[in-house]
Amino acid sequence: MFNLVLFGPPGSGKGTQSINITQSYGLQHISTGDLLRSEVSGQTPLGIEAKKYMDQGLLVPDEVVIGMISSLIDQHPDARGFNFDGFPRTRAQAEALDALLQFKQTQIHLVLSLEVPQEELTRRMLGRAATSGRSDDNAEVIARRIVEYKEKTFPVAQYYDEQGKLAVIKGDLSIDDTFHALSKEIDRHLLPVS
Ligand code: ADP
């Protein structure tokens, strides 16, 4: 198996790049943002609970997200690997993911962190707000999401860096150039030079 985490702040392009990576490398894409939005639109009990947090720009509680990931992993016993997008977003989620993967006798192999300057992130998110129809896309909520990222999610990069798994990639190039840089890093791990 090859398990990858695509990491980065809101607006860094994780969703777009995950679709490219998933297709090119045959990995199973798991986006907690997409999963949560589909629970919200299906008005499931989990979705109704999650919406309260998402609409304020807050992270959904760890236990809700970890439960969702656990059942998703179980639903794909034959996956060649997973591409986690938007997860883990807290240290507790990262530790829970390690435990879930260890149970399957595998691990996270690589964490690609997309780095984009703050002005560009804000510009992209406000642009998306005009067209997305997402209830969490307005200036006040976006500001809150940035604070949540800095306080709770950014430390996850350090968690993986300590394990020697983190690679930082510039995410303010074009979509194609960013994908090229990500692919180069993945290939380096898939085809180690002996
Ligand atoms: P982004 O705009 O950063 O790509 P996502 O679509 O990944 O955002 O997530 C949208 C919202 O869903 C987040 O602001 C958060 O409320 C919730 N969410 C998504 N993933 C997680 C997670 N792993 N832990 C907690 N909350 C999450």
Side-chain angles (χ1 to χ4, degrees), residues 120-142:
E120 172 67 9
L121 293 173
T122 308
R123 201 183 62 77
R124 287 185 188 177
M125 279 191 287
L126 288 173
R128 184 171 70 180
T131 54
S132 74
R134 272 172 57 159
S135 59
D136 62 348
D137 263 351
N138 64 62
E140 194 189 331
V141 174
I142 288 170

Side-chain angles (χ1 to χ4, degrees), residues 3-5 98 101 106-113 157-168 185 189:
N3 300 307
L4 178 78
V5 171
D98 278 350
L101 293 177
T106 184
Q107 59 168 318
I108 290 298
H109 296 91
L110 178 63
V111 179
L112 295 172
S113 172
Q158 192 189 346
Y159 175 83
Y160 287 116
D161 197 20
E162 283 163 7
Q163 298 179 22
K165 294 179 175 173
L166 187 75
V168 178
E185 194 60 39
H189 283 77

Side-chain angles (χ1 to χ4, degrees), residues 7-187:
F7 183 86
S12 57
K14 298 184 297 287
T16 307
Q17 296 298 340
S18 282
I19 292 167
N20 290 337
I21 290 171
T22 303
Q23 285 173 354
S24 298
Y25 293 94
L27 302 177
Q28 179 64 45
H29 183 201
I30 297 190
S31 157
T32 42
D34 288 350
L35 289 168
L36 288 167
R37 277 186 288 278
S38 104
E39 297 280 345
V40 170
S41 63
Q43 297 187 316
T44 65
L46 192 156
I48 290 166
E49 180 65 15
K51 188 174 190 302
K52 295 182 204 157
Y53 296 90
M54 295 166 78
D55 282 356
Q56 295 181 67
L58 299 173
L59 291 180
V60 173
D62 285 335
E63 58 276 15
V64 173
V65 181
I66 292 165
M68 220 169 56
I69 290 282
S70 172
S71 63
L72 243 290
I73 290 177
D74 288 345
Q75 280 167 34
H76 296 282
D78 301 324
R80 290 171 63 183
F82 293 98
N83 172 15
F84 296 99
D85 161 11
F87 178 90
R89 257 175 156 99
T90 63
R91 196 186 164 98
Q93 291 179 17
E95 288 169 355
L97 181 60
D98 278 350
L100 286 171
L101 293 177
Q102 198 176 15
F103 186 68
K104 290 181 74 70
Q105 297 183 325
T106 184
Q107 59 168 318
I108 290 298
H109 296 91
L110 178 63
V111 179
L112 295 172
S113 172
L114 282 171
E115 211 173 56
V116 178
Q118 187 55 62
E119 317 81 71
E120 172 67 9
L121 293 173
T122 308
R123 201 183 62 77
R124 287 185 188 177
M125 279 191 287
L126 288 173
R128 184 171 70 180
T131 54
S132 74
R134 272 172 57 159
S135 59
D136 62 348
D137 263 351
N138 64 62
E140 194 189 331
V141 174
I142 288 170
R144 184 74 225 175
R145 278 161 59 197
I146 293 168
V147 172
E148 285 279 88
Y149 174 79
K150 287 188 176 149
E151 286 178 1
K152 298 181 183 157
T153 305
F154 187 70
V156 172
Q158 192 189 346
Y159 175 83
Y160 287 116
D161 197 20
E162 283 163 7
Q163 298 179 22
K165 294 179 175 173
L166 187 75
V168 178
I169 306 287
K170 271 173 66 68
D172 56 344
L173 310 173
S174 70
I175 291 177
D176 283 352
D177 288 347
T178 305
F179 178 58
H180 184 69
L182 291 167
S183 301
K184 248 171 81 176
E185 194 60 39
I186 296 172
D187 293 343

